Amino acid sequence: MRIGTFVVKIWRWSSIAFVIGALGWTYSLLPDMVAFNFSETGLADSYINRDVIFYIVMGLFLVNNVVISSLVKAVPRIDVQMLPILNKETWVKNRAHLNELIINWIYCIIAGVNTMIGLSLFSLATVNSNQFTMDIFDFSWLFYIGVLLMILVFLLPLRLLWPPAPQEEL
């Protein structure tokens, strides 16, 4: 196992635990009616029942972790000639490495979405809690973190522009 694959797997599994923990903590902390839309002044405009938030997040979580994960099983069956990559002949000879890069990329997408769901849940719980004195403007950093995560995840396929490194025999 390569270090990149190890890091991606750790991030994916820790993001799954993060979402489950954030969902449990958020659900226990939220009031029955949760503010989810805020005006320019920071006051709540719209409210929703916390059960609806729970089911929406669980639906997103299941789609993200089950449906998108099922794409991983199809990666070995994809014809390399159909992929929009350079040096197709070289990648055909290194199919295992190509599969590993594509699978890692799919898992990074899953982990990035999980991380954003978890951070969003924590911010929603904090804004709606009586225990904390933070308002909606204290979480403007969440948007930038999300954009940065998605840029990083979608830059990963750039690795496919370079040919694979030759394997050295020991």
Side-chain angles (χ1 to χ4, degrees), residues 48-156:
I48 193 169
N49 193 325
R50 75 176 178 180
D51 294 337
V52 174
I53 290 176
F54 175 80
Y55 291 123
I56 289 172
V57 170
M58 283 307 297
L60 288 172
F61 180 77
L62 289 175
V63 166
N64 186 40
N65 290 287
V66 175
V67 176
I68 296 177
S69 290
S70 67
L71 294 175
V72 169
K73 294 178 183 171
V75 168
R77 294 189 300 263
I78 298 173
D79 184 22
V80 175
Q81 300 301 324
M82 302 299 290
L83 294 173
I85 57 175
L86 302 175
N87 304 320
K88 292 181 183 182
E89 297 80 24
T90 309
W91 282 111
V92 167
K93 296 175 189 169
N94 295 294
R95 182 61 196 229
H97 185 62
L98 176 66
N99 289 347
E100 182 180 8
L101 288 173
I102 294 173
I103 289 169
N104 284 347
W105 181 61
I106 292 171
Y107 284 153
C108 279
I109 292 171
I110 294 168
V113 171
N114 283 342
T115 303
M116 285 309 302
I117 290 173
L119 290 173
S120 299
L121 282 172
F122 277 136
S123 63
L124 184 67
T126 305
V127 167
N128 283 285
S129 173
N130 294 330
Q131 298 173 354
F132 304 104
T133 59
M134 301 177 93
D135 64 355
I136 193 66
F137 299 114
D138 293 331
F139 293 99
S140 60
W141 56 269
L142 188 61
F143 172 76
Y144 299 110
I145 294 287
V147 169
L148 180 68
L149 266 176
M150 290 302 128
I151 287 172
L152 288 175
V153 165
F154 285 104
L155 285 179
L156 287 176

